Amino acid sequence: TNQIFLYCLGFAAQQTRVQIHAVVTMSNHYHCVLTDPEGLLPRFTELLHKYAAKCLNASYGRWENLWATEASSYVRLVGAEDVLAKIVYTLTNPVAAAAAVSVAAEKAAQEAAAKAKQISADAAKPDAVKKQANDDAAAKGKAAEAAKAALAQAQQGEKAAQAQATA
């Protein structure tokens, strides 16, 4: 992917005589510091985006839009210090983005762990509920057995009392 993009960048720069000072490709955008001595930046951007989209889509086996519909962002750099600052920004941007992704990933991992813990706790609840239900059923079964035994005993006592009364 990077090789395809860099090839298209080189092609566009060659066609428009734009001078590339720094470039970095990110997962969903790129940063490029350049000098446009002939005022052909719109043509350069057109060529770069057109060929990068065609080549990258072909390599992905898809044919939908590659670029967002928003306009590209351009910053005019007036002095050498501005150019140097933008080159530093461009070349360090992936590190800053990785740090931001790392923080976001850590937060997501913590949230996922908390969610997993909650799911685990919730999953244990049915077992506890089942155990309680089983315990309740067992207690009810024992109570029913005791009631049957008491009834049988009462019936025997009643029969014994009738037998004595008739004797």
Side-chain angles (χ1 to χ4, degrees), residues 33 77 79-92:
V33 180
L77 305 173
E81 288 179 9
D82 297 331
V83 173
L84 180 59
K86 191 55 78 173
I87 289 172
V88 169
Y89 169 82
T90 296
L91 297 178
T92 59

Side-chain angles (χ1 to χ4, degrees), residues 2-166:
N2 283 341
Q3 290 174 336
I4 293 170
F5 181 83
L6 292 175
Y7 180 85
C8 294
L9 177 78
F11 175 78
Q14 181 185 34
Q15 295 296 308
T16 59
R17 291 178 287 289
V18 164
Q19 300 164 5
I20 307 295
H21 304 296
V23 65
V24 65
T25 56
M26 306 285 283
S27 63
N28 62 352
H29 67 285
Y30 68 93
H31 294 267
C32 184
V33 180
L34 56 86
T35 298
D36 179 19
E38 298 190 26
L40 296 173
L41 183 60
R43 177 73 177 141
F44 166 82
T45 304
E46 174 194 0
L47 289 171
L48 173 59
H49 288 185
K50 176 178 155 183
Y51 287 109
K54 285 182 179 188
C55 293
L56 289 169
N57 276 336
S59 75
Y60 295 142
R62 65 181 193 195
W63 306 107
E64 65 245 15
N65 289 339
L66 179 70
W67 304 107
T69 56
E70 296 92 27
S72 298
S73 172
Y74 302 99
V75 177
R76 183 180 175 94
L77 305 173
V78 179
E81 288 179 9
D82 297 331
V83 173
L84 180 59
K86 191 55 78 173
I87 289 172
V88 169
Y89 169 82
T90 296
L91 297 178
T92 59
N93 189 266
V95 176
V101 167
S102 178
V103 168
E106 185 176 336
K107 183 178 179 187
Q110 288 172 348
E111 289 172 358
K115 181 90 171 162
K117 187 176 180 180
Q118 183 62 45
I119 289 170
S120 177
D122 290 346
K125 285 180 186 174
D127 290 342
V129 170
K130 276 187 203 173
K131 183 178 182 317
Q132 184 63 45
N134 289 340
D135 290 350
D136 290 349
K140 286 178 184 175
K142 287 179 186 175
E145 288 174 23
K148 283 182 190 176
L151 180 61
Q153 196 174 20
Q155 287 172 341
Q156 285 177 351
E158 195 176 295
K159 285 181 187 178
Q162 284 176 354
Q164 263 185 349
T166 55

